[in-house]
Amino acid sequence: MARVKAGLTCAFVALLILGVTGCDHTQVGTGGTPEQRDLMQAFLAAHDKNDLEAEEYLVDWDNVTEGYKNFFIKNHLERGLKHRILSIDIVDLPNVGPSAFQGYNIQPEKFLAIQYDGDMQDKRSLYPIGQTSGRYYLAMQSGK
């Protein structure tokens, strides 16, 4: 009986430690408006389901060349799906003036900031987001 109690105590302590230190949960920020956070949550949900098509749906592809679209899908979306998201948030654009974001298919308002694990952990991925047709999307550099 003493061994059972000791075993249960050890199991309880282990669960308590796990609860305090956390598991593989993503740190989700509170930046941006509710509508911008909807985009962030949709991106996170698509990522957690490993759903590339759902992630692609969150990008505004208007006026984007096929070459750039394929590049973005392969080097950002597909690559990102191979990694766990450590943190995600909506953050302000840098104060660099309006000309810095000319050439985008929608006017960027904020960034979707994502920190991945693994070989992508060294830098935070920043994707400009903007609103069109009443929804927020990842903004892309236009080919026109």
Side-chain angles (χ1 to χ4, degrees), residues 59-64 101-108 128 130-132 137-143:
V59 180
D60 183 342
W61 298 113
D62 289 346
N63 300 320
V64 175
F101 294 102
Q102 286 181 342
Y104 280 81
N105 57 358
I106 50 178
Q107 181 62 42
Q131 188 177 32
T132 185
Y137 293 90
L138 274 67
M140 294 282 105
Q141 290 182 333
S142 175

Side-chain angles (χ1 to χ4, degrees), residues 59-136:
V59 180
D60 183 342
W61 298 113
D62 289 346
N63 300 320
V64 175
T65 65
E66 198 64 27
Y68 187 71
K69 178 180 179 178
N70 293 335
F71 170 84
F72 187 81
I73 290 169
K74 180 180 181 186
N75 293 292
H76 292 274
L77 300 181
E78 285 181 359
R79 185 174 178 219
L81 285 174
K82 296 176 184 173
H83 297 275
R84 188 170 66 82
I85 294 179
L86 300 174
S87 67
I88 189 168
D89 201 358
I90 302 293
V91 299
D92 290 333
L93 297 173
N95 189 14
V96 292
S99 65
F101 294 102
Q102 286 181 342
Y104 280 81
N105 57 358
I106 50 178
Q107 181 62 42
E109 296 177 25
K110 299 273 186 175
F111 280 126
L112 175 64
I114 303 173
Q115 182 75 45
Y116 293 98
D117 72 354
D119 65 341
M120 293 178 73
Q121 188 170 350
D122 292 340
K123 65 182 180 94
R124 184 169 61 159
S125 296
L126 297 171
Y127 302 110
I129 65 169
Q131 188 177 32
T132 185
S133 303
R135 289 191 50 221
Y136 277 90

